[in-house]
């Protein structure tokens, strides 16, 4: 365990929307740079990090199917969007001196390794950041479910879901000013109270495999390190 840290190996779930910053679409290079700086700090301290990235800043399969597109086809397009985000993130990490590998659930040898669990673990043991792209490679599964699956597969100590809010609330804090933030909440409560942290499949996967989930605000600089050190950042789901 790296000195001063609570977790040794974590899976960081980034939404595609997080990468577009203040833009309405696409990738904001300044967000990539800020992320790379934060990740570099903790990797240099010896923390093993894997990242699952979404594609909502470029294309959403659910939105595509809602507009009449075949759901499976729309989901495949969404998976390709996550590959673009993963490559942009890899570029940012490499520019900041952080070794990284993109592993795709859909084979595309020219730009990414094919996902192999043991290879991913070996990369992390060597201090490389592994970025998981293309979801599970199957339609009808969200990148939240992918993140939960990969976290369990690589034996992560915690899954960290980076959002634009500082944790989980009893209601949407934007719509309800009386919403109360949870410091800790059980997976059962998340499901029964329909707190909409992640989709039910992802929550159930974490619950069944006793994978802790930390939901925190990515927009506050230094929060990744604070969360990894076990400081009171965000909401812990157990």
């Amino acid at each position: 365990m790296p000195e001063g840290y609570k977790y040794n190996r974590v899976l960081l779930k980034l939404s595609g929307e997080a990468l577009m910053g203040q833009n309405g679409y696409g990738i904001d290079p300044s967000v990539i740079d800020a992320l790379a700086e934060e990740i570099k700090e903790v990797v240099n301290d010896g923390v093993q990090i894997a990242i699952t990235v979404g594609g909502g800043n470029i294309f959403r399969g659910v939105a595509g199917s809602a507009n009449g597109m075949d759901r499976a086809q729309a989901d495949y397009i969404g998976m390709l969007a996550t590959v673009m985000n993963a490559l942009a993130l890899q570029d940012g990490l490499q520019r900041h001196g952080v070794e990284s590998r993109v592993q795709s659930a859909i084979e595309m040898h020219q730009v990414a390794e094919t996902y192999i669990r043991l290879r991913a673990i070996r990369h992390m043991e060597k201090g490389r950041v592994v970025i998981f792209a293309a979801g599970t490679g199957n339609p009808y599964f969200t990148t939240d479910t992918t993140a939960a699956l990969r976290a369990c597969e690589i034996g992560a100590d915690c899954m960290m879901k980076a959002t634009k809010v500082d944790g989980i609330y009893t209601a949407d804090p934007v719509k309800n000013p009386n919403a109360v933030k949870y410091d800790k909440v059980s997976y059962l409560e998340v499901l029964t109270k329909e707190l909409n942290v992640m989709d039910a499949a992802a929550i159930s996967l974490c619950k069944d495999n006793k994978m802790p989930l930390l939901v925190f605000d990515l927009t506050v600089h230094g929060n990744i390190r604070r969360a990894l050190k076990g400081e009171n950042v965000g909401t812990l789901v157990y």
Side-chain angles (χ1 to χ4, degrees), residues 9 16 22 59-60 76 81 88 113 117 137 153 165 171 181 198:
R9 179 183 296 164
Q22 299 304 312
F59 188 88
R60 274 192 174 279
Y76 282 121
E113 294 180 1
R117 185 180 70 90
E153 285 184 303
V165 292
K181 177 176 170 282
M198 300 190 299

Side-chain angles (χ1 to χ4, degrees), residues 107 146 182 230:
E107 289 191 8
T146 303
Y182 291 101

Side-chain angles (χ1 to χ4, degrees), residues 113-188:
E113 294 180 1
T114 301
Y115 171 67
I116 298 174
R117 185 180 70 90
L118 292 178
R119 181 179 286 178
I121 291 170
R122 186 70 181 133
H123 282 319
M124 286 187 290
E125 289 173 345
K126 288 184 174 182
R128 298 170 186 144
V129 174
V130 181
I131 307 165
F132 298 123
T136 64
N138 301 291
Y140 302 99
F141 289 94
T142 66
T143 49
D144 278 344
T145 301
T146 303
L149 176 64
R150 297 288 185 253
C152 295
E153 285 184 303
I154 64 172
D157 300 315
C158 181
M159 174 178 161
M160 296 170 56
K161 182 175 167 67
T163 68
K164 293 181 179 179
V165 292
D166 61 346
I168 302 170
Y169 284 76
T170 52
D172 187 338
V174 177
K175 298 176 182 175
N176 185 352
N178 297 317
V180 179
K181 177 176 170 282
Y182 291 101
D183 286 329
K184 290 184 179 181
V185 63
S186 71
Y187 277 116
L188 197 58

Side-chain angles (χ1 to χ4, degrees), residues 8-234:
N8 176 51
R9 179 183 296 164
V10 297
L11 186 291
L12 179 63
K13 167 60 171 66
L14 295 175
S15 67
E17 287 88 342
L19 300 182
M20 67 186 181
Q22 299 304 312
N23 301 334
Y25 178 84
I27 300 165
D28 184 343
S30 65
V31 172
I32 296 283
D33 281 336
L35 257 174
E37 278 291 342
E38 286 203 61
I39 290 168
K40 180 181 181 177
E41 289 177 3
V42 295
V43 169
N44 287 347
D45 286 344
V47 179
Q48 297 177 19
I49 291 191
I51 301 170
T52 297
V53 63
N57 55 322
I58 299 171
F59 188 88
R60 274 192 174 279
V62 172
S65 65
N67 289 325
M69 187 179 287
D70 177 79
R71 172 63 193 270
Q73 194 78 334
D75 280 353
Y76 282 121
I77 297 171
M79 287 178 222
L80 297 180
T82 72
V83 176
M84 288 191 271
N85 284 338
L87 292 174
L89 189 54
Q90 182 186 37
D91 177 72
L93 290 169
Q94 298 284 131
R95 282 189 286 105
H96 285 79
V98 180
E99 280 293 307
S100 61
R101 298 289 186 272
V102 174
Q103 288 202 346
S104 170
I106 296 174
E107 289 191 8
M108 43 185 78
H109 301 300
Q110 285 84 352
V111 295
E113 294 180 1
T114 301
Y115 171 67
I116 298 174
R117 185 180 70 90
L118 292 178
R119 181 179 286 178
I121 291 170
R122 186 70 181 133
H123 282 319
M124 286 187 290
E125 289 173 345
K126 288 184 174 182
R128 298 170 186 144
V129 174
V130 181
I131 307 165
F132 298 123
T136 64
N138 301 291
Y140 302 99
F141 289 94
T142 66
T143 49
D144 278 344
T145 301
T146 303
L149 176 64
R150 297 288 185 253
C152 295
E153 285 184 303
I154 64 172
D157 300 315
C158 181
M159 174 178 161
M160 296 170 56
K161 182 175 167 67
T163 68
K164 293 181 179 179
V165 292
D166 61 346
I168 302 170
Y169 284 76
T170 52
D172 187 338
V174 177
K175 298 176 182 175
N176 185 352
N178 297 317
V180 179
K181 177 176 170 282
Y182 291 101
D183 286 329
K184 290 184 179 181
V185 63
S186 71
Y187 277 116
L188 197 58
E189 281 183 272
V190 170
L191 288 169
T192 55
K193 293 180 180 178
E194 297 181 347
L195 295 177
N196 297 325
V197 184
M198 300 190 299
D199 62 272
I203 291 292
S204 296
L205 196 55
C206 288
K207 177 179 176 291
D208 292 345
N209 292 280
K210 297 179 172 58
M211 175 63 63
L213 167 66
L214 184 68
V215 180
F216 73 104
D217 186 354
L218 182 68
T219 63
V220 178
H221 183 75
N223 258 3
I224 293 177
R225 174 179 254 176
R226 292 186 199 101
L228 286 167
K229 284 178 173 284
E231 295 181 24
N232 188 22
V233 175

